[in-house]
Amino acid sequence: MLRVESVSFAYGDKKVLSDVGFELAEGEVSSLLGVNGSGKTTLLKIISGLLKPQKGKVIVDNKAIEEIGSQGLSKTVAYMPQKTNGVFCTVFDAVLLGRKPHIGLEVSGHDIETTSRIINMLGLEHYAFKYTTELSGGELQKVVIARALAQEPKILLLDEPISHLDIKNQMEVMRLLVDITKTMNLTTVIVLHDLNMAMRFADKFLLLKDGEVYAYGDRDVVTPQAIRDVYRINVLVAQYMGLSVVIPELS
Ligand code: ADP
């Protein structure tokens, strides 16, 4: 369980988040939505402990993250930034790197086992001994997700994990993230720009506007009015074969 309590944050005198609060359950995917610059990345960095808010706190499993400490936190929370520095190594080693918070002086049998299990789970077994430079964008994105999962986190934070992928890989990666969240009982937060992908795959929706929570809840909070207020565009939200589809209007 993840609870964010009245978090406010500023870079110097630039206020970015103000009084942000919400609670996310295990086994659920939440999409974090809002225009560029609304504070989404900053919020993920605060939850992962990379930035410290001036006010408020983040609670994971009833413990404030400062009490968990950086070692404990890196075992609990995995954060996948928008841009990841590609490491030149094999897929196996790249995923094994995710075990870093757990590894003592030596890599254990359990580290190797976990790495192999996650590589198989993501269908990367045929690539395990290929170099990361030999992969397509979609494959590489799965490797980065695999590395985050190798941490065995309870909380998975992903900043725009599908923005550079073609539609087939977008569908595959989103489906995978939903499956993993359910089977591993994770609390997953994904920054998404594609409202239709969010509507299709997320359980919950957190809309940020000017650094404040505009709305949080299930699909029902994503109304044409909410989208107009948050994104400043007019849309229709239609129902098609049980799916909610967001259609931007031209004017
Ligand atoms: P989003 O992820 O929604 O695009 P960000 O959290 O990246 O938003 O940024 C929120 C605001 O904070 C933006 O105005 C951005 O320019 C500013 N900002 C982000 N990082 C820094 C930083 N390191 N120093 C100063 N301002 C920053």
Side-chain angles (χ1 to χ4, degrees):
M1 187 274 299
L2 167 70
R3 194 161 74 240
V4 171
E5 278 181 9
S6 313
V7 160
S8 297
F9 182 86
Y11 293 102
D13 55 10
K14 183 178 170 48
K15 284 189 184 151
V16 175
L17 296 173
S18 108
D19 221 14
V20 169
F22 54 88
E23 192 170 316
L24 309 182
E26 288 166 1
E28 283 190 347
V29 172
S30 297
S31 57
L32 181 50
L33 308 172
V35 294
N36 293 329
S38 55
K40 302 180 297 297
T41 298
T42 304
L43 181 56
L44 290 194
K45 286 183 176 170
I46 289 171
I47 298 171
S48 62
L50 290 172
L51 290 174
K52 199 172 157 17
Q54 283 86 12
K55 192 177 144 279
K57 50 187 165 180
V58 177
I59 316 269
V60 174
D61 281 343
N62 295 317
K63 248 189 175 176
I65 57 172
E66 303 91 82
E67 289 169 40
I68 300 173
S70 59
Q71 179 77 359
L73 199 59
S74 52
K75 287 182 190 166
T76 314
V77 181
Y79 166 58
M80 197 188 109
Q82 254 173 63
K83 291 185 203 97
T84 41
N85 294 328
V87 277
F88 176 69
C89 60
T90 64
V91 166
F92 191 90
D93 287 344
V95 178
L96 181 64
L97 271 177
R99 297 294 303 158
K100 207 167 147 234
H102 299 270
I103 292 173
L105 284 177
E106 281 173 37
V107 173
S108 69
H110 178 67
D111 295 319
I112 302 284
E113 235 170 74
T114 308
T115 302
S116 306
R117 180 167 52 80
I118 288 176
I119 283 178
N120 286 327
M121 197 166 86
L122 270 73
L124 289 167
E125 59 274 22
H126 302 302
Y127 305 99
F129 296 103
K130 270 196 171 185
Y131 281 90
T132 49
T133 45
E134 299 173 271
L135 303 180
S136 72
E139 290 154 2
L140 195 59
Q141 195 66 321
K142 285 187 201 162
V143 172
V144 178
I145 293 169
R147 186 167 61 192
L149 291 173
Q151 260 175 265
E152 295 188 301
K154 290 184 178 160
I155 310 231
L156 182 61
L157 310 171
L158 306 122
D159 204 344
E160 297 184 32
I162 57 168
S163 356
H164 302 293
L165 303 181
D166 64 44
I167 188 149
K168 181 172 182 288
N169 278 303
Q170 289 192 356
M171 292 292 290
E172 230 176 274
V173 167
M174 285 305 297
R175 207 173 286 148
L176 195 68
L177 290 171
V178 170
D179 285 352
I180 288 163
T181 301
K182 310 287 171 198
T183 51
M184 296 172 89
N185 209 26
L186 305 180
T187 301
T188 300
V189 184
I190 312 181
V191 172
L192 288 170
H193 282 309
D194 186 328
L195 292 176
N196 283 315
M197 282 291 175
M199 291 293 253
R200 179 130 190 199
F201 289 103
D203 302 298
K204 292 283 164 54
F205 302 81
L206 180 71
L207 279 77
L208 271 190
K209 183 177 187 240
D210 301 329
E212 292 182 18
V213 176
Y214 173 91
Y216 175 64
D218 58 23
R219 220 159 249 98
D220 295 347
V221 304
V222 191
T223 60
Q225 179 68 48
I227 295 172
R228 192 175 309 127
D229 289 344
V230 171
Y231 290 95
R232 294 177 211 98
I233 55 157
N234 291 323
V235 298
L236 301 169
V237 178
Q239 298 301 315
Y240 179 72
M241 294 175 73
L243 297 173
S244 298
V245 185
V246 177
I247 306 164
E249 287 179 7
L250 275 178
S251 56

